[in-house]
Amino acid sequence: MLERCKECIAMLLAGGQGSRLKVLTSDIAKPAVPFGGKYRIIDFPLSNCVNSGIDTVGILTQYQPLVLNSYVGNGQPWGLNRNYGGARILPPYAQSDRSEWYKGTANAIYQNLPFIEMYNPEYVLILSGDHIYKMDYSKMLEYHKEKNADCTIAAIDVPMEETHRFGIINTNPDNSIYEFEEKPEHAKSTNANMGIYIFNWKILKKYLEMDEQDPHSSNDFGKNILPKLLEDKQRMFAYPFSGYWKDVGTLESLWEANMDLINPSVPIELKDDDFKIYTRNYAKPPSFVSRSAAIENSIVGEGCDVRGTVENSVIFTGCKIEEGAVIKDSVVMPNTLVKAGARIEFTIIGEKAVIGRNAVIGKSPKDYAINAWGITVVGTNKTIGDEEIIAPKQVV
Amino acid sequence: MNMTGIIFSNIYDAYMGDLTKHRTLASLPFGGRYRLIDFVLSNMSNSGINNVGIITKYNYQSLIDHLGSCEEWDMSRKNSKVFILPPFGTGQTSVYQGKLEALYGALQFLRRTKEDYIMMSDCNVICNIDYELVMKEHIKSGAQLTVVANREDPQFEGELRDFVITADDDGIVTDLAIRHTFTRENLCGMGMFIIEKSLLLHAVEEAVSHGLYHFERDFVQKEFLTGHLSVNVYEFKRSVLRNRDIPSYFRNNCLILQEEVRKDIFDPQNPIYTKVRDEVPAFYDRDAEVDDCVIADGCRIEGKVSDSVIFRNVTIEKGATVDHCVVMQGTVIRAGANIRYTILDKDVEITEGRTLVGSDLAPVIIQKGNKI
């Protein structure tokens, strides 16, 4: 062997638009959406990689990549600025014989075969940038090796009534997989596919190349690659994961996941010196909390100036909450200004928004019929005028 | 910029008592998440000074740990570097008494730098200053040395300043005094000087061969009063926080709670950088009550806190009262404790129900790692 090689590298699928997040992803890719007072969604898979000893991560971007690209930068905030490996942004590019966008998740990896070959790894970990969870992938890799598997899929137990929202994996007693059910009405089991895969690279490469030759394929891992491996009786196993895991692909789930951080009965603890979630730091001073402020059961990031009332909310870095403003059960993303007297309830406010004086945004669900109510959302860079009223469920 | 930075990390260690027992003055925590050196080093980085030497004497472990590769200050680049200059760094040096001797130990570093000017600074004075403007004024003045200074009112009768400048209406310096009383008519030196490198090298060699070591007294004042040195003064007009002793350090932390001071010091155009610790955002419990405080990341606030500076990763439990305190990183204040006018150093634990009360001029100090 003349060249060095890596045992395992990660490929992070970060090209999705996240259209269900509506105004929050009109200018940025979903993995770049802020989360939890100081993070962005992509911090979770990236920090998981670093905490699992994986130091090479290819990040596949396509949709609105500017913010995401500059956010990841050289990977330094996550310790992914490595001499050999590290974080690499991988956009689609023009090739000598053809030029195309990433057609699907499998095609995105296929187009980056040369990147993976640079490291000639034994295993490839496929991740997505849509979930909030803490996971030590090295344990999953151990499991993959123990089972002598060709492909291992992380699976989480979900309540039976929610199985119709997930890809369900049916397994034998030894956790080997015999069937996939895509969003079934009546699931046979409650093992949901978490979208985290470990493949033996040689096998994956073969199947990606085969998939590319198939004109009828939609070039997708879930729809094409995994069923094909199963059909060919490759060794596929489910890796049971227990712990907090949440898809943040919708406005409701994004709001809920933020609220989970201030709910002591939900088992997600970000404060853990042995498994830190890293994030890019913006050199902001600590937050100032004035005499007129009242903060209850809330998270407040750095560089904030809080003079109003904040209850059951997550306030991100660099926000200014003026005197007399009231924020309840809401998520206020970075660098937003909430002017005096504004009242915000059950709302997500995007980055760099300005909320006018005495504006009233969102309402508690208690006075509404179930269908008439929803989370209110104010988009990135949006200005809401003084005295303006934004009703529940509205997305502006 | 055509200027090398020199930062003295230890010159005023002795003034800070127990707070500098195990650290340099440069690594003394300040303002919720910073250390004193962050301010001067950020100023240098933001002003485009690419080459900085930090002169240390002893206790510099915490400083080296804090600075790391200096990437947070954007000074870990091919063309931008920080050099730590310990005593005994070269053959002919030893532990020094004053800046001239300290600079003697840094001669090799100074000779090797390409820049023609030196910006010398202590790290006990906090401000947000653009050294490029100081440099422009220095060149324009044609003087051999520029001292950065501001106007202040004495806090009490007979208060002294280390370097008191008297200038006439045209800004021409007429007198320089060391450790002297002052009024608003005077300008008070902020421990920051610009001087041409060749002149400084000459002064250092001359001084050391004559057994002199005090830069301000044995060089600036002496040469100025004998007419051998032309001195220009640059008047700095925004907030200046001088940490001269424990009461002033305590007062300055509390001044950070004032909006105008925070605006001056934490200018978003010229941020103050510090070591990144990847703490989670602060959490405020249902029973938290916070009045006029600066609160950093990683804190968990369940009790009552007022007029205080709370550093990263501090826990204040239910029923605890913290008033007019500086609480450093990692400290835990257990339920029901009552702490007023106190400086709690890093990783202190105040046990349940304890009461500690100091005063603004004599705050109680609990040393690093103690359990009370």
Side-chain angles (χ1 to χ4, degrees), chain A residues 116-188:
Chain A
I116 301 174
E117 295 280 88
M118 264 165 53
Y119 299 101
N120 192 23
E122 198 127 344
Y123 309 101
V124 174
L125 170 66
I126 308 285
L127 302 169
S128 66
D130 310 0
H131 301 103
I132 302 299
Y133 66 110
K134 286 166 42 176
M135 181 172 176
D136 185 345
Y137 304 131
S138 67
K139 289 187 182 145
M140 180 173 168
L141 182 59
E142 279 307 307
Y143 178 90
H144 178 83
K145 290 184 205 165
E146 246 168 56
K147 294 285 183 187
N148 197 19
D150 295 314
C151 168
T152 300
I153 303 173
I156 189 162
D157 196 32
V158 294
M160 194 39 120
E161 59 271 22
E162 287 187 29
T163 47
H164 65 278
R165 293 175 44 222
F166 296 97
I168 297 297
I169 304 170
N170 295 319
T171 57
N172 301 309
D174 68 346
N175 281 339
S176 61
I177 299 171
Y178 69 87
E179 187 187 25
F180 294 109
E181 292 182 285
E182 192 57 27
K183 300 186 178 164
E185 256 178 69
H186 304 287
K188 290 191 195 121

Side-chain angles (χ1 to χ4, degrees), chain B residues 29-177:
Chain B
F30 187 89
R33 64 180 303 212
Y34 304 97
R35 307 238 182 186
L36 290 184
I37 194 159
D38 293 342
F39 297 89
V40 55
L41 192 55
S42 300
N43 286 336
M44 287 189 176
S45 173
N46 291 333
S47 307
I49 297 178
N50 290 329
N51 192 16
V52 175
I54 300 175
I55 298 186
T56 61
K57 192 171 184 177
Y58 36 67
N59 274 345
Y60 45 81
Q61 177 62 51
S62 62
L63 182 64
I64 291 174
D65 174 46
H66 178 68
L67 294 174
S69 67
C70 290
E71 66 190 355
E72 274 102 351
W73 292 264
D74 217 359
M75 297 201 68
S76 162
R77 291 182 286 142
K78 295 269 176 190
N79 57 357
S80 182
K81 278 203 177 120
V82 172
F83 296 83
I84 299 214
L85 306 169
F88 310 111
T90 56
Q92 343 112 11
T93 53
S94 61
V95 173
Y96 52 84
Q97 301 175 68
K99 287 182 196 166
L100 286 170
E101 273 184 349
L103 286 165
Y104 191 68
L107 275 184
Q108 285 196 3
F109 166 76
L110 289 171
R111 286 205 188 99
R112 247 198 353 242
T113 60
K114 293 192 292 279
E115 293 84 4
D116 295 317
Y117 292 88
I118 308 282
M119 172 84 226
M120 292 164 56
S121 179
D122 292 324
C123 51
N124 60 330
V125 177
I126 290 171
C127 62
N128 196 319
I129 184 171
D130 184 349
Y131 292 131
E132 203 170 349
L133 293 178
V134 187
M135 176 71 164
K136 275 185 187 146
E137 290 286 310
H138 175 72
I139 303 284
K140 213 170 93 188
S141 75
Q144 289 167 300
L145 178 123
T146 288
V147 50
V148 181
N150 72 330
R151 291 183 198 274
E152 282 191 355
D153 293 313
Q155 293 278 321
F156 52 88
E157 180 86 21
E159 194 186 6
L160 303 179
R161 281 283 178 267
D162 289 329
F163 198 71
V164 178
I165 303 150
T166 312
D168 65 16
D169 293 345
D170 302 323
I172 306 295
V173 177
T174 55
D175 187 40
L176 297 177

Side-chain angles (χ1 to χ4, degrees), chain A residues 281-286 302-304 317-318 335, chain B residues 33-34 266 268 271-272 274:
Chain A
N281 192 284
Y282 292 98
K284 297 268 188 191
E302 287 202 304
C304 292
T317 311
N335 302 313
Chain B
R33 64 180 303 212
Y34 304 97
F266 302 117
I272 306 298
T274 189

Side-chain angles (χ1 to χ4, degrees), chain A residues 358-392:
Chain A
N358 302 321
V360 178
I361 299 174
K363 271 278 177 350
S364 152
K366 63 175 188 283
D367 303 329
Y368 289 82
I370 285 181
N371 293 331
W373 186 86
I375 293 293
T376 309
V377 181
V378 174
T380 307
N381 286 318
K382 183 86 186 161
T383 297
I384 302 295
D386 293 354
E387 322 285 336
E388 212 172 307
I389 296 174
I390 312 284

Side-chain angles (χ1 to χ4, degrees), chain A residues 18-217:
Chain A
S19 53
R20 286 175 302 161
L21 290 179
K22 298 177 183 164
V23 287
L24 295 179
T25 50
S26 51
D27 301 319
I28 59 173
K30 181 157 75 171
V33 168
F35 178 81
K38 73 182 291 194
Y39 307 98
R40 291 185 187 263
I41 296 169
I42 196 172
D43 289 335
F44 288 80
L46 287 180
S47 301
N48 285 340
C49 281
V50 172
N51 289 325
S52 310
I54 293 172
D55 63 8
T56 306
V57 186
I59 301 163
L60 298 110
T61 64
Q62 174 158 282
Y63 172 78
Q64 294 276 14
L66 177 66
V67 172
L68 189 58
N69 290 0
S70 55
Y71 183 70
V72 172
N74 69 349
Q76 182 271 335
W78 303 270
L80 287 170
N81 51 336
R82 306 289 296 237
N83 289 331
Y84 177 59
R88 287 286 177 280
I89 297 277
L90 302 170
Y93 56 94
Q95 299 169 30
S96 52
D97 52 344
R98 68 204 156 90
S99 307
E100 57 190 7
W101 296 106
Y102 294 151
K103 290 182 288 182
T105 50
N107 175 257
I109 304 290
Y110 173 79
Q111 289 201 37
N112 286 288
L113 286 182
F115 171 79
I116 301 174
E117 295 280 88
M118 264 165 53
Y119 299 101
N120 192 23
E122 198 127 344
Y123 309 101
V124 174
L125 170 66
I126 308 285
L127 302 169
S128 66
D130 310 0
H131 301 103
I132 302 299
Y133 66 110
K134 286 166 42 176
M135 181 172 176
D136 185 345
Y137 304 131
S138 67
K139 289 187 182 145
M140 180 173 168
L141 182 59
E142 279 307 307
Y143 178 90
H144 178 83
K145 290 184 205 165
E146 246 168 56
K147 294 285 183 187
N148 197 19
D150 295 314
C151 168
T152 300
I153 303 173
I156 189 162
D157 196 32
V158 294
M160 194 39 120
E161 59 271 22
E162 287 187 29
T163 47
H164 65 278
R165 293 175 44 222
F166 296 97
I168 297 297
I169 304 170
N170 295 319
T171 57
N172 301 309
D174 68 346
N175 281 339
S176 61
I177 299 171
Y178 69 87
E179 187 187 25
F180 294 109
E181 292 182 285
E182 192 57 27
K183 300 186 178 164
E185 256 178 69
H186 304 287
K188 290 191 195 121
S189 76
T190 53
N191 277 330
N193 179 348
M194 296 168 68
I196 301 164
Y197 316 121
I198 292 178
F199 288 95
N200 289 355
W201 171 232
K202 286 199 182 83
I203 301 272
L204 177 60
K205 189 180 169 191
K206 186 173 121 195
Y207 277 83
L208 288 174
E209 281 168 344
M210 270 162 43
D211 181 62
E212 195 57 23
Q213 299 307 318
D214 177 1
H216 304 297
S217 172

Side-chain angles (χ1 to χ4, degrees), chain A residues 338-357:
Chain A
V338 178
K339 291 192 183 166
R343 197 177 170 88
I344 298 169
E345 286 182 88
F346 291 88
T347 294
I348 301 176
I349 311 268
E351 290 180 69
K352 291 174 264 179
V354 177
I355 309 301
R357 294 173 77 92

Side-chain angles (χ1 to χ4, degrees), chain A residues 211-257:
Chain A
D211 181 62
E212 195 57 23
Q213 299 307 318
D214 177 1
H216 304 297
S217 172
S218 45
N219 307 116
D220 185 86
F221 271 94
K223 286 187 200 134
N224 308 107
I225 302 288
L226 298 178
K228 188 80 176 115
L229 258 81
L230 193 66
E231 196 184 305
D232 291 355
K233 303 224 168 358
Q234 302 290 358
R235 289 179 64 82
M236 299 180 85
F237 284 82
Y239 170 72
F241 174 78
S242 59
Y244 185 88
W245 177 79
K246 184 135 189 150
D247 180 280
V248 284
T250 64
L251 293 168
E252 290 72 26
S253 63
L254 179 65
W255 177 82
E256 277 169 25

